[in-house]
């Protein structure tokens, strides 16, 4: 692999001076050798805050950039390629036709900040990291987008417990955390621990009550909070979530024992912004009932390979709950249910069928919450004022209505509505039939995303727009930093004077730091637990089985190597899926190390012609690799012809559990690429699978749907 600072003047895998013509058929025909020019090495120092090293790779304009000509397929494409008043590192002008590496393999502190204007890198990476967990399967569509943005979740999306888990985690990180923050603000106001603020609210409410203006006062307050963002911290000063007691409204010691993060419920430490609340969401799902048990294991994961013998040979751990219940019933003298109970299969099937609409509702709730949040606090390049004014415009007539409508009119209107709903069934159905005939999409038009929140993105739509900004400016956004090291156990930086709570600096300091007594108790508990494990026979037995399982896994993969040599496709897909964790992976943004049909090589995103392509070659961009006769591209697909992208697992979900437990290694997953001709190309053992997926989904001009 090329070393950091390597400059790709060609952007493709195989130097070949005979193919320098951009119109050479090999640039567009699958299976041919991609067009290349000789590669050179240069290094340039960035003048950004981090003075990082920037690598440049020669590529043509991507299809994303063509959105600026007024024919953009979506608002996201148009915003990504438009002219931005404020620019970040990825938006700076540079030499035409070149792609820049602005820190794909650099330490986070060496990456220019901000990459995108008015958005700190930590916030950007949080969006991309959560986008990676949310997007599994994307299909291109030609359907008209009512809201102007793509990456919407389709109504008949695929269901799996792993996707259900992702949706519930997103619900926790958005709705539940937001409601917890709201509840703690109410607790602070009711506690009178901030007497001036509470007295001001009381005075305003009392005056409104005396003059019968409570309704207009509340609605006007909402309008002020929407239109003037500076009023939000003035009326509701923010404080670390874990530091506020939800009952007393005062200061409390975080549940994690130390205040390592500001936006999490426990205050747990984190290496990068947003990771603590993501881990909380993960543990939240893991603690839910029997459906969550399947979700935690990822049963029927859509990323499973179509046929995996190793996955089929592993027992299903999610059957434990059902088997345990059956065993208990049998032990109590009940009728065994596994064989004779005719209700078991129909009820289980009904439950699984009903879980898809439930998952869809959870996703819609999270989407709505994210849209409201992005309307109140827009992120560039999305409009900053229009969404807020639109929301405020809906509330303004309600203020006037409060002066005209009294309580009696409201009650009479409600009772009239109840009566019409109960007795007017024939009229209601005739009206609905007329609407369905005259306006087939009237229900879609009434959705918030297509009305008052039209053009306001979810976090996933925001993330793909930011990724498209990088592609439009030929500077792909570096992936979120990753590290196996645990987060530091020290508290996050905080100034006691800036915490709007009725507590001294000493009290706040004691609350966010672990005391000596607590540290001693935790150390003693850890030592005692470790000592108990040493003397438990169960641990020795577990260690024996773990060693035996590891030997079995190693044997299985050894056999796969032999079977792959004789042509087994399933065995080929298992080659290289357990990379050496000590091996440093230098990859991206142009080439990604992986395998195709078991053969080692690199997946290339070549954009050195008018038709950007993704291809696979056995030869690296610096000229190393296999002999030239084996270096031709195994496939080459124009990015614009990609109709479907699907993340697939290197192993089935059950096999992943066993291998992860026995080997202690992460599994390198793969990606399926399907073109407009229906041809499928499966690349496996791609350690930077999410980054490859993000580049492909952001590079083209397709309108995507999330499945």
């Amino acid at each position: 692999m090329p070393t950091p600072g390597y400059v790709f003047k060609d952007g493709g895998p195989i130097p070949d001076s005979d193919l320098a013509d951009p119109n050479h058929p090999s640039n567009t025909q699958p299976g041919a050798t991609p067009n290349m020019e000789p590669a050179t090495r240069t290094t340039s120092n960035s003048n950004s805050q981090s003075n990082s090293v920037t690598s440049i790779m020669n590529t043509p304009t991507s299809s994303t950039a063509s959105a600026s000509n007024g024919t953009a397929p979506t608002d996201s494409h148009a915003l990504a390629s438009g002219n931005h008043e404020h620019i970040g590192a990825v938006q700076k002008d540079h030499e035409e036709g070149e792609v820049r590496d602005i820190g794909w393999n650099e330490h986070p502190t060496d990456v220019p900040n901000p990459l995108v204007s008015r958005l700190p890198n930590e916030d950007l990476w949080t969006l991309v990291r959560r986008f990676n967990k949310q997007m599994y399967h994307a299909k291109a569509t030609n359907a008209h987008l009512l809201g102007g943005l793509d990456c919407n979740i389709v109504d008949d999306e695929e269901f799996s417990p792993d996707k259900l888990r992702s949706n519930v985690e997103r619900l926790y990180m958005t709705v539940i955390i937001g409601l917890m923050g709201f509840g703690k603000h109410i607790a602070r106001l009711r506690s009178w621990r901030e007497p001036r603020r509470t007295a001001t609210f009381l005075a305003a409410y009392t005056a409104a009550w005396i003059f019968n203006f409570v309704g207009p006062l509340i609605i006007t307050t909402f309008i002020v909070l929407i239109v003037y963002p500076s009023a939000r911290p003035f009326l509701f000063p923010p404080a670390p979530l874990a530091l506020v007691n939800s009952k007393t409204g005062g200061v409390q010691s975080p549940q994690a024992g130390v205040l390592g993060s500001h936006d999490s419920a426990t205050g747990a430490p984190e290496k990068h912004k947003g990771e603590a609340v993501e881990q909380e969401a993960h543990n939240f799902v893991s603690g839910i009932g029997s459906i969550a048990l399947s979700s935690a294991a990822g049963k029927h994961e859509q990323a499973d390979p179509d046929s995996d013998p190793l996955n089929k040979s592993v027992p299903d751990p999610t059957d434990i709950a059902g088997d345990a219940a059956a065993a208990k019933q049998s032990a109590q003298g009940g009728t065994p249910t596994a064989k004779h109970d005719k209700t078991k299969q129909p009820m289980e099937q009904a439950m699984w069928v009903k879980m898809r609409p439930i998952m869809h509702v959870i996703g819609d709730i999270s989407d709505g919450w994210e849209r409201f949040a992005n309307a109140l606090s827009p992120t560039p390049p999305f409009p900053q004022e229009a969404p807020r004014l639109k929301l405020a415009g809906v509330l303004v007539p309600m203020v006037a209505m409060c002066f005209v409508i009294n309580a009696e009119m409201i009650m009479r209107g409600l009772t009239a509505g109840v009566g019409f709903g109960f007795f007017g069934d024939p009229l209601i159905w005739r009206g609905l039939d007329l609407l369905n005939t005259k306006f087939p999409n009237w229900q879609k038009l009434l959705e918030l995303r297509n009305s008052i929140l039209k053009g306001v993105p979810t976090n996933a739509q925001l993330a793909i727009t930011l990724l498209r900004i990088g592609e439009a400016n030929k500077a792909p956004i570096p992936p979120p930093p990753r590290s196996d090291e645990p987060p530091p156990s020290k508290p996050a930086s905080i100034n006691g004077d800036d915490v709007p709570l009725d507590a001294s600096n000493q009290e706040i300091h004691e609350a966010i730091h672990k005391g000596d007594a607590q540290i001693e108790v935790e150390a003693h508990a850890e030592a005692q637990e470790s000592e108990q494990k040493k003397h438990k026979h169960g641990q020795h037995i577990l260690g024996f089985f773990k060693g035996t399982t590891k030997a079995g896994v190693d044997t299985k993969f050894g056999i796969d190597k032999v079977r792959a040599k004789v042509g087994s496709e399933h065995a080929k897909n298992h080659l290289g899926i357990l990379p050496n964790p000590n091996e440093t992976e230098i990859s991206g943004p142009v080439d990604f190390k992986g395998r195709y049909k078991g053969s080692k090589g690199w997946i290339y995103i070549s954009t050195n012609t008018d038709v950007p392509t993704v291809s696979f070659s056995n030869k690296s961009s610096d000229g190393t690799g296999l002999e030239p006769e084996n270096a031709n591209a195994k496939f080459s697909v124009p990015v614009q012809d990609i109709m479907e992208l699907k993340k697939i697992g290197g192993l089935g979900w059950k096999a992943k559990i066993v291998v992860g437990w026995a080997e202690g290694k992460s599994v390198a997953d793969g990606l399926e690429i399907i073109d407009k001709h229906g041809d499928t190309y499966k690349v496996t053992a791609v350690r930077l699978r999410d980054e490859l997926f993000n580049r492909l989904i952001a590079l083209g001009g397709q309108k995507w749907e999330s499945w």
Side-chain angles (χ1 to χ4, degrees):
M1 289 300 296
T3 58
Y6 190 83
V7 178
F8 302 87
K9 280 294 181 184
D10 44 12
I14 311 165
D16 191 340
S17 59
D18 296 334
L19 298 177
D21 182 11
N23 298 320
H24 194 280
S26 65
N27 287 315
T28 58
Q29 294 178 358
T33 305
N35 178 35
M36 299 279 304
E37 294 177 1
T40 59
R41 296 175 183 267
T42 61
T43 302
S44 61
N45 293 327
S46 172
N47 294 326
S48 63
Q49 297 176 2
S50 60
N51 295 324
S52 63
V53 176
T54 300
S55 301
I56 299 179
M57 289 144 283
N58 184 25
T59 60
T61 303
S62 69
S63 56
T64 302
S66 65
S68 60
N69 60 9
T71 60
T74 68
D75 292 346
S76 173
H77 291 85
L79 290 169
S81 57
N83 295 324
H84 305 137
E85 181 179 357
H86 304 280
I87 60 174
V90 303
Q91 299 162 295
K92 292 181 180 179
D93 294 333
H94 59 280
E95 186 177 347
E96 183 67 24
E98 294 185 348
V99 164
R100 295 174 295 165
D101 177 357
I102 54 176
W104 271 61
N105 300 292
E106 302 293 335
H107 191 274
T109 57
D110 297 329
V111 177
N113 191 11
L115 290 166
V116 180
S117 63
R118 296 193 287 180
L119 183 66
N121 286 355
E122 288 283 358
D123 294 332
L124 171 62
W125 283 329
T126 298
L127 287 169
V128 174
R129 190 170 58 245
R130 296 178 183 178
F131 177 82
N132 294 341
K133 295 180 180 180
Q134 183 180 346
M135 292 294 294
Y136 291 93
H137 188 186
K139 293 183 181 180
T141 178
N142 292 323
H144 175 64
L145 302 176
L146 296 177
L149 298 172
D150 61 341
C151 277
N152 293 299
I153 300 174
V154 296
D155 293 334
D156 53 347
E157 64 175 320
E158 299 169 343
F159 170 78
S160 76
D162 194 46
K163 183 177 286 188
L164 175 62
R165 179 191 189 95
S166 175
N167 277 276
V168 177
E169 287 182 357
R170 193 157 67 100
L171 182 74
Y172 177 88
M173 292 185 290
T174 55
V175 180
I176 296 178
I177 286 293
L179 292 177
M180 289 176 63
F182 173 76
K184 294 197 174 186
H185 270 294
I186 298 300
R188 287 169 54 189
L189 276 174
R190 296 183 66 241
S191 68
W192 282 90
R193 293 178 180 270
E194 302 168 61
R196 289 186 179 180
R197 189 160 70 103
T198 304
T200 303
F201 274 79
L202 174 62
Y205 185 87
T206 302
W209 180 81
I210 292 173
F211 295 101
N212 199 23
F213 286 168
V214 174
L217 173 65
I218 295 175
I219 298 175
T220 303
T221 302
F222 277 121
I223 294 175
V224 171
L225 293 174
I226 291 171
V227 176
Y228 300 102
S230 57
R232 301 169 197 169
F234 178 77
L235 293 177
F236 299 96
L241 194 62
L243 199 59
V244 180
N245 189 301
S246 59
K247 294 181 179 180
T248 66
V251 176
Q252 69 172 5
S253 180
Q255 297 177 22
V258 61
L259 186 64
S261 55
H262 290 186
D263 58 351
S264 63
T266 62
E270 58 187 5
K271 291 178 293 184
H272 304 286
K273 185 177 181 180
E275 288 184 341
V277 71
E278 291 168 12
Q279 189 62 35
E280 284 181 359
H282 176 85
N283 294 326
F284 173 78
V285 177
S286 298
I288 301 176
S290 59
I291 294 297
L293 177 62
S294 297
S295 302
K299 184 178 181 180
H300 299 155
E301 182 179 64
Q302 61 270 29
D304 280 1
D306 294 334
S307 179
D308 187 354
L310 179 60
N311 190 53
K312 293 180 179 179
S313 63
V314 178
D316 188 344
T318 61
D319 290 338
I320 294 174
D323 293 344
K328 181 180 179 181
Q329 184 179 8
S330 179
Q332 293 175 345
T335 303
T337 60
K339 183 177 180 180
H340 303 288
D341 188 359
K342 300 302 181 182
T343 66
K344 183 175 185 295
Q345 183 176 355
M347 288 302 298
E348 286 184 350
Q349 184 176 359
M351 287 296 296
W352 285 108
V353 169
K354 294 299 181 182
M355 286 312 299
R356 186 171 76 171
I358 291 175
M359 180 184 72
H360 194 74
V361 169
I362 293 174
D364 285 344
I365 293 173
S366 300
D367 285 347
W369 190 278
E370 291 174 355
R371 286 191 175 95
F372 272 108
N374 289 326
L376 295 175
S377 301
T379 299
F382 284 91
Q384 301 296 293
E385 302 294 338
R388 293 202 298 265
L389 294 177
K390 190 182 294 184
L391 287 176
V394 174
L395 297 178
V396 169
M398 297 177 64
V399 177
M401 291 172 60
C402 289
F403 293 100
V404 177
I405 300 175
N406 54 37
E408 182 183 358
M409 296 172 64
I410 294 175
M411 286 302 299
R412 290 183 65 83
L414 287 176
T415 52
V418 171
F420 180 77
F422 190 85
F423 298 105
D425 189 69
L427 291 177
I428 292 173
W429 281 108
R430 286 186 175 88
L432 292 176
D433 289 339
L434 180 63
L435 282 174
N436 291 332
T437 303
K438 299 293 185 180
F439 307 99
N441 293 324
W442 69 273
Q443 292 173 318
K444 291 289 184 182
L445 294 173
L446 293 179
E447 293 179 359
L448 292 178
R449 64 177 178 176
N450 299 323
S451 52
I452 61 174
L453 293 179
K454 184 177 181 179
V456 179
T458 64
N459 287 349
Q461 292 170 332
L462 174 58
I464 195 173
T465 302
L466 297 173
L467 292 171
R468 283 169 174 160
I469 288 177
E471 298 297 341
N473 291 279
K474 294 174 280 294
I477 291 177
R482 63 185 72 188
S483 173
D484 295 331
E485 298 178 359
S489 296
K490 61 182 181 180
S493 59
I494 186 172
N495 186 354
D497 295 332
D498 296 334
V499 178
L501 299 175
D502 184 25
S504 64
N505 288 339
Q506 180 64 25
E507 291 174 330
I508 295 176
H509 183 273
E510 292 177 355
I512 66 176
H513 289 80
K514 290 184 179 180
D516 295 336
Q518 183 180 1
I519 295 176
E520 184 178 350
V521 169
E522 290 181 357
H524 178 71
E526 290 179 2
Q528 188 175 8
E529 182 180 358
S530 178
E531 188 66 22
Q532 289 177 351
K533 286 183 178 181
K534 292 181 181 179
H535 297 287
K536 281 186 177 180
H537 294 291
Q539 293 296 326
H540 296 292
I541 296 174
L542 187 63
F544 169 77
F545 280 112
K546 185 174 183 179
T548 305
T549 304
K550 184 178 185 302
V553 170
D554 292 339
T555 302
K556 169 64 176 144
F557 283 114
I559 295 174
D560 280 342
K561 291 181 180 179
V562 177
R563 294 176 59 209
K565 291 181 180 180
V566 298
S568 172
E569 292 297 327
H570 298 307
K572 289 180 180 179
N573 291 336
H574 287 166
L575 297 180
I577 62 174
L578 291 181
N580 186 352
N582 297 323
E583 178 184 350
T584 302
E585 181 70 17
I586 303 297
S587 186
V590 170
D591 52 354
F592 299 84
K593 191 174 182 180
R595 292 178 182 253
Y596 179 65
K597 295 184 177 180
S599 179
K600 286 184 179 180
W602 289 263
I603 302 100
Y604 289 91
I605 300 178
S606 305
T607 54
N608 61 321
T609 67
D610 292 335
V611 183
T613 60
V614 55
S615 58
F616 181 89
S617 173
N618 297 112
K619 200 169 187 178
S620 67
S621 53
D622 61 352
T624 62
L626 300 181
E627 52 275 8
E629 59 268 21
N630 293 327
N632 289 344
K634 304 302 180 183
F635 70 82
S636 182
V637 181
V639 173
Q640 197 62 31
D641 289 350
I642 296 176
M643 300 303 294
E644 191 172 343
L645 291 169
K646 183 179 181 180
K647 296 178 181 180
I648 57 173
L651 291 171
W653 70 277
K654 291 180 288 184
K656 272 188 177 181
I657 294 174
V658 174
V659 172
W661 173 67
E663 296 282 350
K665 297 179 181 179
S666 60
V667 177
D669 295 319
L671 183 68
E672 272 189 0
I673 302 171
I674 302 177
D675 64 13
K676 65 181 181 181
H677 305 293
D679 297 326
T680 301
Y681 306 93
K682 181 189 295 185
V683 291
T684 57
V686 185
R687 295 179 67 175
L688 296 183
R689 189 270 308 272
D690 288 337
E691 288 70 24
L692 173 62
F693 178 90
N694 291 349
R695 281 220 62 195
L696 292 177
I697 200 174
L699 181 59
Q702 295 95 326
K703 296 183 291 186
W704 297 104
E705 291 178 334
S706 176
W707 284 75

